[in-house]
Amino acid sequence: MVHLSTNTASKLLSKLAQGNGHGEDSPYFDGWKAYDTDPFHPTINPRGVIQMGLAENQLSFEFVEKWIKNNPKASICSVEGVHEFKDIANFQDYHGLPRFRNAVANFMAKVRGNRVQFDPDRVVMSGGATGAHETVAFCLANPGEAFLVPVPYYPGFDRDLTWRTGVKIVPVICESSNNFKLTREAMETAYVEAEKSGIKVKGLLITNPSNPLGTVYDKKTLETAVTFINEKNIHLVCDEIYAATVFAEPGFISISEVIENDTECDKNLIHVVYSLSKDMGFPGFRVGIIYSYNDAVVACARKMSSFGLVSSQTQYLIASMLSDDAFVDRFLAGSAEKLATRHCNFTKGLAQVGIGYLKGSGGLFLWMDLRHLLKEKTLEAEMTLWRVIINDVKLNVSPGSSFHCSEPGWFRVCFANMDDNTMDISITRIRNFALQNKEVAKVKKQKFCWRQSSLELRLSSRRLEDIMSPHSPLPQSPMLRATT
């Protein structure tokens, strides 16, 4: 048998397959590779990398597990549910099971405090939010056209929106000076610059609650966005996949609430992307939702959904679960309480060593401020700090540059994807690392006044060796191998 070299084999593929459009050459994904190479385990590998780069909600599984035990019939692969197996296992219309669409519509309303209702006939399913975003991009824009996206934004958008569609992303610059809020001026600047470059803007994409910021949009900002897209006659796509992860004030306001009584808004321009991956903690179920107020988009997205359907077994289980109002109420309240407690405990640990963060009320992460640990205010300095945190502190946190943040020194850190013991260890690692930088204490005494030139990155492995090993094997990534 003849084996072709990798380069030769790749030339036999399509241009799309040969390209790097998936975007894996990013520190965001490199951090995952570092974890996969040396994963933390409390007994097998206690000095491994702790995964704090995965926005996953593992805090509320107890509610789901209890429901499943009490409702064995909901699974068609159980003794109690086997009589439903044949009907569910056979071919289902790609519109989705009616009871599934009804349950999802009701759940979306409940998450939003029943302040707005959703039409089940507008619920289009997709293989997770990833598939939903790509489908919306296909429906709304031609190759070469663009969406405005406020930065910092989720790195996966570079894949989801652009890789196979040929659609572009035009960043809307948001800055820490106003807590990264989206302004009319910023949207206008990005729009004008795109036009000057010959790029046609077809829409604005926002994430609410924000990934990676953990903040929620207030009503005024949402109204400003609606006014802007109406004036420009472009689409507004609202990613609301973290809607039920809001655990404090200010609470979540959906774009659907804002346009409910807005008689001047062209609702044909409004589209919502939703999923159960974050709110319910079901990323493996791949339940993505497109909810559009545009009939043509609904029809087109439904045709395209045949490429990424949710399995009928999953639909059946989810429909049964979300139709249990008592369970949903307990889950939403319990999840918010657990997220609030975890967020409080984690931020207290950061505060003890003078590490700040952007105040937020939602999401499964926070936007951690390590600007005072940079040797200089540059991307290179941020990457140096990131490599130390990955390689020596053994925490996979994601640098702001991977979210296209224009200001070095910010990091997204996820806090809901681990048990309490692992979280305690991660806080200890952060605390010990911060204390190794002698200038941190000085910064703390100066009430966190950042002095760019006074900070150095130094690690004393003697004090850290009890909880981490600087000699653990590292992944073969150029970004991670670079000299620190």
Side-chain angles (χ1 to χ4, degrees):
M1 181 179 293
V2 178
H3 294 282
L4 300 177
S5 68
T6 301
N7 289 336
T8 301
S10 66
K11 291 179 180 179
L12 298 175
L13 305 178
S14 69
K15 290 182 179 180
L16 182 66
Q18 292 180 52
N20 192 34
H22 192 274
E24 285 193 351
D25 57 340
S26 158
Y28 174 76
F29 291 106
D30 274 326
W32 284 39
K33 295 170 188 175
Y35 168 77
D36 289 340
T37 302
D38 184 27
F40 167 85
H41 187 279
T43 56
I44 299 175
N45 190 23
R47 297 184 179 184
V49 176
I50 294 178
Q51 173 64 288
M52 304 189 81
L54 177 61
E56 195 169 65
N57 186 0
Q58 297 185 17
L59 301 181
S60 303
F61 278 154
E62 63 183 80
F63 301 111
V64 176
E65 290 170 351
K66 182 178 180 180
W67 187 90
I68 291 174
K69 290 176 181 178
N70 292 334
N71 296 270
K73 184 180 178 180
S75 172
I76 60 173
C77 294
S78 64
V79 173
E80 294 82 357
V82 70
H83 62 283
E84 300 283 353
F85 185 90
K86 181 179 179 180
D87 288 340
I88 299 301
N90 285 335
F91 176 78
Q92 304 294 331
D93 191 293
Y94 54 73
H95 285 64
L97 299 176
R99 64 193 303 253
F100 168 76
R101 289 185 286 111
N102 283 326
V104 168
N106 290 335
F107 181 72
M108 291 175 66
K110 184 159 287 193
V111 167
R112 292 152 182 79
N114 287 316
R115 295 182 297 272
V116 63
Q117 301 301 309
F118 295 90
D119 181 356
D121 289 334
R122 292 191 177 278
V123 172
V124 181
M125 60 181 172
S126 177
T130 294
H133 275 295
E134 184 182 65
T135 297
V136 170
F138 268 120
C139 289
L140 302 183
N142 296 310
E145 296 176 338
F147 285 93
L148 304 178
V149 183
V151 294
Y153 64 77
Y154 167 55
F157 284 158
D158 294 320
R159 168 200 64 205
D160 302 350
L161 298 178
T162 73
W163 184 27
R164 300 194 298 183
T165 66
V167 173
K168 299 178 181 293
I169 290 178
V170 174
V172 179
I173 305 301
C174 302
E175 300 175 332
S176 65
S177 57
N178 71 339
N179 295 323
F180 297 98
K181 289 184 178 179
L182 178 65
T183 65
R184 171 65 193 243
E185 292 73 21
M187 289 187 287
E188 190 68 45
T189 297
Y191 185 88
V192 170
E193 289 299 320
E195 282 195 326
K196 288 181 179 179
S197 300
I199 299 174
K200 184 176 183 180
V201 175
K202 291 301 295 288
L204 168 69
L205 167 65
I206 62 175
T207 59
N208 183 32
S210 168
N211 176 12
L213 301 179
T215 55
V216 296
Y217 280 83
D218 57 50
K219 186 177 181 181
K220 182 177 180 181
T221 301
L222 291 172
E223 290 173 341
T224 298
V226 170
T227 299
F228 176 79
I229 63 102
N230 270 273
E231 290 177 0
K232 304 297 185 185
N233 194 33
I234 61 176
H235 297 275
L236 176 57
V237 180
C238 295
D239 180 325
E240 297 186 349
I241 68 173
Y242 290 96
T245 69
V246 177
F247 50 81
E249 293 296 331
F252 172 69
I253 301 175
S254 172
I255 194 65
S256 298
E257 300 173 49
V258 173
I259 68 171
E260 180 79 358
N261 299 310
D262 186 345
T263 57
E264 297 183 0
C265 171
D266 181 357
K267 292 186 178 181
N268 285 300
L269 300 175
I270 308 297
H271 322 276
V272 177
V273 170
Y274 189 57
S275 83
L276 299 182
S277 296
K278 311 302 181 180
D279 282 358
M280 293 294 293
F282 295 163
F285 279 15
R286 311 309 302 146
V287 179
I289 298 297
I290 298 167
Y291 189 91
S292 177
Y293 292 86
N294 185 314
D295 291 341
V297 171
V298 170
C300 180
R302 186 156 284 145
K303 294 173 185 176
M304 296 184 70
S305 70
S306 59
F307 294 102
L309 295 175
V310 179
S311 77
S312 55
Q313 180 187 0
T314 299
Q315 290 184 57
Y316 186 82
L317 175 64
I318 292 297
S320 301
M321 185 180 296
L322 298 188
S323 297
D324 186 337
D325 289 335
F327 161 76
V328 171
D329 290 340
R330 287 194 302 272
F331 179 88
L332 293 177
S335 178
E337 181 179 356
K338 287 180 176 292
L339 286 171
T341 299
R342 175 60 65 82
H343 182 273
C344 179
N345 291 339
F346 184 61
T347 54
K348 280 183 179 179
L350 296 181
Q352 290 175 357
V353 288
I355 295 178
Y357 63 97
L358 183 69
K359 299 297 186 295
S361 59
L364 309 173
F365 36 72
L366 56 83
W367 196 231
M368 184 168 62
D369 185 359
L370 298 184
R371 288 176 293 174
H372 61 287
L373 296 182
L374 297 180
K375 291 183 66 175
E376 54 187 14
K377 194 176 180 180
T378 64
L379 172 61
E380 291 74 17
E382 177 182 276
M383 295 304 292
T384 296
L385 177 58
W386 171 70
R387 293 186 191 102
V388 171
I389 296 173
I390 285 281
N391 296 343
D392 297 326
V393 187
K394 294 303 186 75
L395 296 176
N396 175 28
V397 300
S398 306
S401 55
S402 63
F403 296 84
H404 301 279
C405 184
S406 59
E407 186 175 350
W410 294 90
F411 290 76
R412 191 192 75 166
V413 53
C414 301
F415 57 78
N417 63 336
M418 62 191 74
D419 58 31
D420 290 338
N421 180 62
T422 305
M423 177 54 63
D424 289 341
I425 294 173
S426 69
I427 293 174
T428 299
R429 292 185 180 186
I430 293 173
R431 181 185 298 118
N432 286 359
F433 166 64
L435 291 176
Q436 298 311 303
N437 295 273
K438 296 179 180 179
E439 296 297 333
V440 170
K442 183 183 295 184
V443 171
K444 190 174 182 180
K445 291 179 181 178
Q446 295 171 348
K447 298 181 180 179
F448 314 121
C449 180
W450 180 38
R451 292 175 58 189
Q452 174 181 325
S453 62
S454 67
L455 301 173
E456 296 180 1
L457 286 172
R458 290 195 295 270
L459 275 176
S460 170
S461 59
R462 180 175 301 173
R463 290 191 59 185
L464 295 177
E465 63 186 1
D466 289 337
I467 55 172
M468 66 193 76
S469 169
H471 306 295
S472 296
L474 299 176
Q476 297 302 305
S477 164
M479 291 186 179
L480 289 169
R481 290 201 308 269
T483 302
T484 61

